[in-house]
């Protein structure tokens, strides 16, 4: 199997995140909790998925141990989150925030934690699915 099979989803998903960051946002004069929670949840999930895809690519295309792949994936998430916030500083209605970098990083870390800590304890059916997707 070609290594591209593992890396193409990483590149596509990173591109999706980049495209979301180009969307112009009209600032609301008042705080809306539901909107805030939706946007921050999106950050968390987007970067959790990116961490999973990157981890999968690393363990299947490099000689990295699972631990090294996880550390590298998390470092990448942090740096990609920083670059994404910088990119947003050029988009009207958006502003870079450390809070979003932390949420992005937490999303990636949570994804990796769930893979390491809970995937081995999941029912056999889910473990087989993870194995067929080449995550475990």
């Amino acid at each position: 199997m070609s290594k591209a099979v593992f890396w193409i989803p990483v590149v596509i998903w990173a591109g999706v995140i980049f495209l979301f960051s180009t969307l112009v946002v009209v600032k609301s004069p008042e705080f809306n909790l539901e909107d805030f929670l939706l946007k921050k949840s999106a950050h968390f999930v987007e970067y959790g998925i990116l961490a999973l895809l990157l981890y999968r690519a690393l363990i299947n295309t490099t000689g990295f141990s699972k631990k090294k792949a996880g550390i590298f994936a998390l470092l990448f998430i942090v740096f990609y989150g920083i670059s994404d916030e910088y990119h947003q500083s050029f988009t009207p209605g958006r502003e870079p925030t450390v809070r979003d970098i932390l949420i992005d990083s937490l999303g990636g870390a949570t994804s990796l934690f769930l893979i390491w800590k809970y995937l081995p304890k999941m029912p056999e059916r889910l473990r087989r699915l993870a194995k067929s997707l080449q995550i475990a």
Side-chain angles (χ1 to χ4, degrees):
M1 184 180 303
S2 169
K3 290 182 179 188
V5 169
F6 296 102
W7 287 102
I8 289 172
V10 174
V11 172
I12 289 171
W13 194 249
V16 166
I17 292 172
F18 183 86
L19 287 175
F20 278 131
S21 294
T22 64
L23 299 176
V24 176
V25 175
V26 177
K27 284 235 177 206
S28 174
E30 55 189 62
F31 179 77
N32 181 325
L33 180 62
E34 289 174 357
D35 183 56
F36 176 81
L37 292 175
L38 178 68
K39 288 178 181 174
K40 301 314 157 195
S41 296
H43 270 267
F44 185 88
V45 170
E46 288 171 0
Y47 281 83
I49 292 170
L50 184 58
L52 168 73
L53 293 172
L54 183 56
Y55 175 76
R56 176 180 172 258
L58 289 167
I59 63 172
N60 285 288
T61 64
T62 68
F64 287 3
S65 67
K66 290 182 178 185
K67 180 180 179 182
K68 189 173 182 178
I71 291 168
F72 186 86
L74 188 55
L75 288 172
F76 180 86
I77 292 299
V78 171
F79 288 115
Y80 196 73
I82 291 168
S83 72
D84 184 51
E85 291 303 306
Y86 178 72
H87 170 240
Q88 286 183 31
S89 71
F90 298 102
T91 305
R94 293 190 178 255
E95 58 187 36
T97 66
V98 172
R99 175 190 61 223
D100 285 349
I101 296 167
L102 293 173
I103 293 169
D104 299 342
S105 301
L106 185 60
T110 300
S111 179
L112 296 168
F113 176 77
L114 292 173
I115 291 168
W116 288 343
K117 179 82 174 172
Y118 292 106
L119 185 58
K121 299 174 185 177
M122 289 289 171
E124 178 62 28
R125 184 176 178 191
L126 287 175
R127 289 195 316 257
R128 276 195 319 265
L129 176 61
K131 189 171 181 108
S132 73
L133 294 172
Q134 297 177 298
I135 297 168

